[in-house]
Amino acid sequence: MTDANNLIAEYRNTGTLGSLPMGHFIDGAFSEPVHNRTMESFDPGTGVPFARFTAGTKEDVDQAVASSRLAFEADWRDMAPVERSRILQRAAALILENLDLLAVVETLDSGKALQEAMGDVRGAARTFEYYAGACDKLQGDSFPLGPDYIGYTIHEPVGVTAHIIPWNFPISTAARGFAPALAAGCTVVAKPAEQTPYTALILADLLHKAGLPAGVCNVVTGTGPETGAPLTNHPGVDHITFTGSVQTGRAVMKAAAEDITRVVLELGGKSPVVVLGDCDKEQALAGVLGAIYENAGQICSAGSRLVVEKSIHDEFVDELVARTRALNLGHGLANPDVGPVNSSEHLAKIAGFLDRARSRGAEIVTGGSVTEDPATGQGWFFEPTIVNSVAADDELAQEEIFGPVLAVQVADDADHALALANDCQYGLVAGIYTSNFAKAHQLARKIDAGQIYINEYFAGGIEVPFGGNKKSGFGREKGLEGLASYCKTKSIAARIG
């Protein structure tokens, strides 16, 4: 257990952290790769590399999958559910004991503000706690077949599960996949994004220290083509959980089809926040601001479209602009309102959207440009941005920018707001702000999205199922539905008369 202030001081003095792991995590230990290659990991707040990590290959993936297959069949599948529960409970406690280390590493890897990283780590601990409580409650059903028969179902673990973890919420996404898979009796092989490898490695080590048998959770680092693709194509994998882009998700589906491998896909969104004229304006302003600028807008469920009723449009946008301009930017360790974006490549992508918008004559009312940390002149930053009166068919309203850019759409009334909210290829989440609860629930039924927030964006927690419709993907994570994703149902019927 290391204090965050000491870790920050170490980083500022040395430019790195001595506690960072090296190697893959396979068979309960950090191991040397088959080919001894490494990659740089960059601090988005400075744009400078702060460490090197292992660049894996197909051979490493083969080793990890074989290890997880052996552990599944020999140790984990048949362990008593109450024993699995105790291990996951200990894992939750160890995550909290290592809160500062995990949060500082997450900030350096992803760029997000330290207080956001702290929240992510606490959420990861809560995720393991939640699924620890579900291990021994995964019950089947019985069927009334008459006096001469007995019929029932049992839930069996699907086997070896592959987890492709994105760079925007590394430890959160790892936890929401690992915990239910392990609770169901599955084993895990994970490939974290090459931009953010470290917290998945540390998490796997903590799980082993909590009592997880060797091989039950393996982590292989490296690039998508050299480790991610071999993992999703591997015939020894029984299930794939993928979070990422539509383009890569499509490739994962095609790879899974080869061996008829089960998949859960979470592919992003362009989520609307519907603000009606009768809303609590203070509540709505705070909600819209957090929905788009948390983690610099790099959230699949970010409220990146504001669909606001015409009657309050002008005053609402004016106040939103004023609050946006008051946000401070800075390195994640300085706990700013808005941190950097994750990479120079992603920064260029965001800037491209705004450059094209300018060329179309878009009304950019604040922001719209690349910038840097005001304290150092370094880092990959984009100004918090609002573009007003965006047409429904404009790419700012249709495409996922994945940055601190809010597109404002004007609705004549609630029916028009509904039409605008649904006029998109994505369907991950949506927010609704209104004081009329009947209207709120009517809209909630009609908006095509996997999760609806009413009068608080990002409401709920691990208990609430999460996942998308349309091109946002399919399958559900979190909640008991997330546990079901890692189970296969077996029906048994017997004649006893």
Side-chain angles (χ1 to χ4, degrees), residues 16 41 117 216 277 432 440 452 458:
T16 189
S41 188
V216 174
I432 300 166
I452 308 294
F458 299 130

Side-chain angles (χ1 to χ4, degrees), residues 57 62 98 113 134 146-147 160 173 212 227 239 243 258 271 299 363 370 398 408 421 436 447 473 481 489 497:
T57 61
D62 289 342
N98 289 272
V160 177
T173 311
L212 207 67
T227 53
H239 169 99
T243 302
E258 187 66 29
S271 299
I299 306 177
E363 186 186 348
V370 172
Q398 291 294 327
V408 179
N436 185 326
I447 293 175
E481 285 199 46
T489 300

Side-chain angles (χ1 to χ4, degrees), residues 175-406:
R176 82 181 187 202
F178 291 10
L182 296 171
C186 299
T187 54
V188 166
V189 181
K191 188 271 174 193
E194 55 261 42
Q195 297 89 346
T196 54
Y198 287 114
T199 49
L201 291 166
I202 297 170
L203 178 58
D205 187 36
L206 292 177
L207 284 166
H208 184 64
K209 289 174 179 174
L212 207 67
V216 174
C217 181
N218 295 320
V219 176
V220 178
T221 59
T223 67
E226 293 199 307
T227 53
L231 180 56
T232 56
N233 281 282
H234 204 290
V237 166
D238 301 301
H239 169 99
I240 302 166
T241 292
F242 172 82
T243 302
S245 69
V246 172
Q247 179 182 358
T248 308
R250 192 176 286 120
V252 168
M253 281 190 71
K254 290 178 180 178
E258 187 66 29
D259 291 296
I260 320 298
T261 304
R262 299 159 52 124
V263 292
V264 168
L265 299 178
E266 198 269 274
L267 305 179
K270 190 70 184 179
S271 299
V273 186
V274 175
V275 176
L276 301 181
D278 62 357
C279 70
D280 179 321
K281 292 185 181 63
E282 182 58 37
Q283 188 179 59
L285 284 162
V288 170
L289 206 68
I292 186 57
Y293 297 131
E294 182 179 327
N295 200 26
Q298 300 167 119
I299 306 177
C300 51
S301 53
S304 54
R305 290 191 291 145
L306 167 60
V307 180
V308 59
E309 197 165 4
K310 184 188 295 184
S311 62
I312 62 167
H313 165 263
D314 290 349
E315 62 173 298
F316 193 88
V317 171
D318 285 348
E319 179 59 26
L320 196 62
V321 167
R323 296 188 185 200
T324 298
R325 289 175 177 166
L327 297 173
N328 71 293
L329 277 67
H331 193 286
L333 293 178
N335 267 331
D337 296 318
V338 181
V341 301
N342 184 258
S343 67
S344 58
E345 294 82 5
H346 190 56
L347 182 63
K349 178 186 173 184
I350 297 169
F353 275 102
L354 273 297
D355 290 343
R356 293 190 295 274
R358 256 187 221 93
S359 71
R360 296 191 299 271
E363 186 186 348
I364 302 171
V365 290
T366 191
S369 299
V370 172
T371 185
E372 65 281 318
D373 183 349
T376 65
Q378 294 180 302
W380 300 316
F381 290 83
F382 199 85
E383 295 174 337
T385 299
I386 298 175
V387 186
N388 201 14
S389 302
V390 175
D393 61 353
D394 191 276
E395 72 168 352
L396 295 184
Q398 291 294 327
E399 300 293 334
E400 186 176 40
I401 300 170
F402 220 62
V405 180
L406 180 65

Side-chain angles (χ1 to χ4, degrees), residues 418-441:
L418 172 64
L420 289 172
N422 281 335
D423 185 13
C424 183
Q425 62 182 325
Y426 295 103
L428 187 55
V429 307
I432 300 166
Y433 284 87
T434 175
S435 60
N436 185 326
F437 260 63
K439 191 182 297 181
H441 287 281

